[in-house]
Amino acid sequence: MRRYILAGNWKMHLDAQASADLVKALIPSVKDSTDVDVVVGPVFTSIPAVVEAAQGTNIAVAAQNCYWEDSGAFTGEIAVPMLKAAGCAYCIVGHSERRQFFGETDEKINKKAQALYKHGLTPIVCCGELLEEREAGKTTQVVETQLRGCLKDLPADKVRTTVLAYEPVWAIGTGKVATPAQAQEVHATIRALLVELYGQDVADAVRIQYGGSVKADNVKELMGQTDIDGALVGGAALKPDSFAAIVNFQK
Ligand code: 13P
């Protein structure tokens, strides 16, 4: 049985004070959901405030990006050991917004995932097709190419603990959620790819989140699909009530 992982990607929202306030408001509403993993992903400058506010609770912290070198002359970048020292347990890599606007490639995402493993953080590796790719019948091809590239040369014991997030780009921030059947179809394809690359045992262990307009009123049906093991939530994670309702979807 895979444990559900419900994560909020706050994107470029909420300064340190607003981030800490959101966590404090969230704590009482999610504290009893101990059978799922709860993660929030603030901007870099809010990480210390969020880590402090979440101390001793069931809320873990994710960064939204990292660089793969441990230190050096890389102006504007943040190294994985720095994220670890700040208290992050996870880091989102390869989000479609980073692919679209910041030149993130599968090769770079792979280097970031390797660096995260080296320092004991869990990568949340994102993949997903554009609307035109879906309409051209290329969804499977796109997602498989992305994941083969992102996971290249990662040993099976590392992949086992990786979190994958399938986020169809056309469903992000659009209110246009993939139907549970559409999402399940791609998740099953991803699981089959993992079987091919790493064997059934590893494929069964990997958690695959769905992301793209997840809300309190659609989360339950999505999570009910065989190969959907969590959600990566944007807009609905910015308010304590709506994110708590997503975390507590089984209640
Ligand atoms: P929305 O939930 O706002 O569609 O964003 C999804 C997302 O990009 C999470 O990473």
Side-chain angles (χ1 to χ4, degrees):
M1 269 306 279
R2 293 178 292 268
R3 196 175 150 89
Y4 286 106
I5 174 164
L6 292 314
N9 171 12
W10 293 353
K11 308 193 179 185
M12 201 175 72
H13 296 287
L14 310 177
D15 64 13
Q17 185 64 56
S19 298
D21 289 347
L22 174 50
V23 170
K24 284 177 196 154
L26 204 52
I27 292 168
S29 335
V30 302
K31 70 173 180 6
D32 296 327
S33 278
T34 50
D35 53 343
V36 302
D37 287 331
V38 186
V39 182
V40 295
V43 298
F44 289 129
T45 50
S46 294
I47 288 171
V50 167
V51 167
E52 194 189 338
Q55 197 91 49
T57 73
N58 59 334
I59 301 173
V61 181
Q64 298 177 17
N65 185 29
C66 64
Y67 192 59
W68 55 81
E69 295 290 348
D70 285 357
S71 65
F74 302 104
T75 302
E77 295 296 313
I78 308 247
V80 177
M82 297 167 185
L83 297 175
K84 186 177 184 175
C88 293
Y90 298 85
C91 182
I92 301 167
V93 290
H95 191 279
S96 67
E97 287 148 17
R98 295 214 54 85
R99 292 175 184 265
Q100 251 182 301
F101 306 132
F102 304 103
E104 192 120 318
T105 60
D106 295 333
E107 197 185 352
K108 290 180 185 174
I109 297 160
N110 178 249
K111 286 185 179 175
K112 293 178 183 193
Q114 307 245 21
L116 288 161
Y117 276 123
K118 184 174 146 201
H119 296 288
L121 273 76
T122 300
I124 299 178
V125 179
C126 305
C127 62
E129 82 287 2
L130 303 167
L131 182 59
E132 53 266 37
E133 292 167 336
R134 172 163 285 265
E135 286 173 344
K138 292 188 175 154
T139 300
T140 301
Q141 186 193 324
V142 167
V143 168
E144 286 201 2
T145 303
Q146 289 173 337
L147 288 179
R148 280 180 195 274
C150 294
L151 301 177
K152 190 166 176 287
D153 298 332
L154 284 178
D157 65 313
K158 303 291 188 205
V159 173
R160 171 187 292 276
T161 62
T162 303
V163 177
L164 303 180
Y166 168 60
E167 299 203 302
V169 179
W170 48 271
I172 295 178
T174 57
K176 207 176 155 193
V177 65
T179 65
Q182 278 175 323
Q184 166 58 27
E185 189 185 6
V186 181
H187 282 233
T189 304
I190 294 171
R191 187 92 55 206
L193 176 68
L194 293 171
V195 173
E196 181 196 318
L197 296 175
Y198 306 102
Q200 191 72 51
D201 183 49
V202 169
D204 283 344
V206 173
R207 295 181 292 177
I208 311 172
Q209 296 176 311
Y210 167 80
S213 298
V214 174
K215 304 273 182 300
D217 63 7
N218 59 31
V219 63
K220 197 166 183 162
E221 211 188 336
L222 286 161
M223 296 307 117
Q225 306 300 307
T226 316
D227 291 294
I228 302 186
D229 311 307
L232 187 55
V233 186
L238 292 170
K239 292 273 181 319
D241 291 353
S242 54
F243 189 56
I246 289 168
V247 169
N248 299 329
F249 76 93
Q250 294 176 102
K251 305 262 181 298

